[in-house]
């Protein structure tokens, strides 16, 4: 599995294409850091989720991961309160999966799902190719119109508000998006990819 993770204070100084790259990352958290917070996630009586920040910090959990998860809960808790989604005792998100119709491709699954830790996108072969192309084209623009939220929206079919929340606090240049595109392309073995992403743009990619 190829994975790269970026959070909060990371800076991307350069990224060359496919066969050669130069990058300068301040690695502040990984997807594993986010998943390690599960013992400290609290399901409240009304079904909303929160995190025992003090206990997580005492346990030595990654502070950037705590911040990312806190932001995620700030987005999904209103959806829980209005009945759009719900949770169970095992932190599963009920009604969190959405199938995506695609008439272009039959190789791989298309869907996106909300989890307690973030979002997962199954992108079929054609959708993975489309995402890679769109990310590269958008990142090549002089202004990258729409900022990081626009980059998120290329990958995840979520509302503008959710895309903005996922990207909150992130200020990555084109190198980040080219790297994301390259990782998706490298993990597409003809049947698409699985794209895991939590808030502040931590991502992890694997083949379907």
């Amino acid at each position: 599995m190829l994975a790269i993770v970026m959070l909060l204070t990371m800076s991307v100084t350069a990224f060359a294409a496919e066969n050669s790259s130069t990058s300068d990352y301040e690695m502040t958290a990984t997807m594993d850091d986010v998943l390690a917070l599960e013992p400290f996630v609290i399901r409240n009586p009304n079904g909303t989720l929160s995190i025992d920040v003090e206990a997580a910090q005492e346990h030595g959990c990654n502070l950037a991961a705590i911040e990312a998860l806190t932001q995620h809960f700030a987005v999904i808790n209103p959806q829980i309160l209005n009945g759009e989604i719900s949770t169970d005792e095992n932190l599963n998100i009920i009604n969190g999966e959405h199938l995506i119709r695609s008439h272009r491709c039959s190789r791989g699954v298309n869907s996106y799902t909300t989890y307690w830790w973030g979002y997962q996108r199954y992108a079929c072969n054609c959708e993975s190719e489309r995402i890679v192309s769109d990310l590269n084209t958008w990142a090549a623009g002089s202004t990258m119109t729409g900022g990081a939220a626009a980059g998120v929206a290329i990958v995840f079919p979520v509302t503008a508000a959710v895309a903005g929340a996922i990207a909150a606090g992130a200020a990555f240049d084109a190198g980040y998006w080219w790297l994301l595109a390259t990782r998706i392309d490298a993990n597409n073995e003809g049947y698409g990819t699985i794209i895991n992403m939590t808030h502040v743009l931590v991502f992890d990619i694997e083949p379907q």
Side-chain angles (χ1 to χ4, degrees):
M1 179 190 301
L2 292 174
I4 189 74
V5 193
M6 297 139 204
L7 257 175
L8 294 178
T9 56
M10 179 181 306
S11 63
V12 179
T13 58
F15 182 79
E18 208 159 318
N19 296 321
S20 157
S21 66
T22 304
S23 56
D24 179 18
Y25 300 112
E26 183 178 342
M27 304 294 284
T28 61
T30 68
M31 184 67 74
D32 286 343
D33 290 327
V34 176
L35 296 176
L37 293 171
E38 184 173 6
F40 308 101
V41 175
I42 300 167
R43 182 178 184 267
N44 301 304
N46 63 0
T48 58
L49 302 178
S50 58
I51 182 170
D52 187 336
V53 174
E54 183 176 349
Q57 290 178 336
E58 288 178 354
H59 193 73
C61 293
N62 185 284
L63 296 179
I66 293 172
E67 174 64 19
L69 195 58
T70 300
Q71 292 188 25
H72 180 53
F73 292 161
V75 171
I76 66 173
N77 280 339
Q79 298 173 6
I80 294 170
L81 292 173
N82 69 22
E84 183 180 343
I85 58 177
S86 59
T87 60
D88 66 17
E89 295 292 340
N90 295 317
L91 303 182
N92 296 311
I93 305 294
I94 312 302
N95 295 326
E97 182 176 8
H98 304 271
L99 295 178
I100 304 169
R101 294 185 179 276
S102 175
H103 302 291
R104 299 191 305 162
C105 187
S106 60
R107 302 181 71 185
V109 176
N110 278 303
S111 67
Y112 81 91
T113 306
T114 302
Y115 291 94
W116 67 265
W117 48 262
Y119 304 92
Q120 183 177 75
R121 171 75 196 274
Y122 273 70
C124 70
N125 179 58
C126 291
E127 270 295 285
S128 295
E129 291 177 348
R130 190 272 306 169
I131 290 169
V132 169
S133 177
D134 287 356
L135 284 174
N136 284 329
T137 299
W138 175 73
S142 59
T143 61
M144 294 200 305
T145 303
V152 171
I154 291 173
V155 182
F156 288 88
V158 295
T159 65
V162 172
I166 295 173
F172 302 139
D173 64 15
Y176 171 91
W177 302 102
W178 281 326
L179 180 56
L180 176 55
T182 299
R183 291 295 189 243
I184 294 171
D185 185 54
N187 278 276
N188 184 7
E189 298 175 351
Y191 291 92
T193 52
I194 304 170
I195 305 165
N196 301 308
M197 185 174 286
T198 191
H199 278 244
V200 207
L201 304 184
V202 182
F203 72 77
D204 183 276
I205 317 295
E206 57 187 298
Q208 279 201 40

